[in-house]
Amino acid sequence: FSIAEYASVSNPSPVLKYQLGDDGIVAPTPPAVPPTVETPINGIPEGKWFVAWEKYKCVKACTGGDSCGGAPSYYDELYDTPEECCAWISWLPREDCVQSNSLSKHYYVHWPSLKCVQNCEVGSGPHCGGAATSWNELHEYLPECCEKLHFVADENCLLDGTL
């Protein structure tokens, strides 16, 4: 196979293109992702935050942006800053309180330490436990992970430091 034939056989999708690296390995080139534009919600003052209780995250009342969570319910309290919002879910560290759509911070149980950790390189953040293995169940939200450690108090569930 030539590289052109390999690309058409291994990936018929027109979205990904292949390029030959310096090391001779053929690697896909991801498509360019256009930046998301934050769009305010009609009838809600711009820049307001609210707690998305089903996620235990503070989100912005908007669509399309990094911390946007859509429209709040009629009963949701609105806050001017993420700090004011996070005061209502104060048991979470600040970096886990605000929703970020640009990062995939999934949690899993690190059974030897009986802690929930994030799926990221050890040392790259206070809650990173290394790359999850295929047998680790990933959870999008910390409370889901902590439920697996039901015998550990919620405030002691999250790894705070290094393994």
Side-chain angles (χ1 to χ4, degrees), residues 33-111:
V33 178
T36 55
V37 177
E38 190 175 295
T39 307
I41 305 286
N42 284 338
I44 298 174
E46 195 170 336
K48 294 293 183 178
W49 293 78
F50 66 97
V51 178
W53 289 106
E54 71 281 1
K55 301 176 181 179
Y56 291 100
K57 296 282 184 183
C58 282
V59 296
K60 214 173 191 182
C62 58
T63 59
D66 183 40
S67 298
C68 293
S73 298
Y74 70 91
Y75 52 82
D76 284 323
E77 189 77 29
L78 296 176
Y79 304 98
D80 292 326
T81 66
E83 289 76 19
E84 289 176 21
C85 180
C86 287
W88 290 96
I89 46 179
S90 59
W91 64 89
L92 288 178
R94 171 66 172 83
E95 63 269 16
D96 294 331
C97 169
V98 176
Q99 176 171 301
S100 176
N101 298 323
S102 65
L103 300 175
S104 177
K105 294 181 177 181
H106 289 90
Y107 297 90
Y108 67 94
V109 175
H110 181 260
W111 290 105

Side-chain angles (χ1 to χ4, degrees), residues 90-93 115 142 146 152-160:
S90 59
W91 64 89
L92 288 178
K115 299 283 186 182
L142 179 60
C146 289
V152 175
D154 284 345
E155 61 271 9
N156 296 326
C157 166
L158 181 65
L159 175 73
D160 197 13

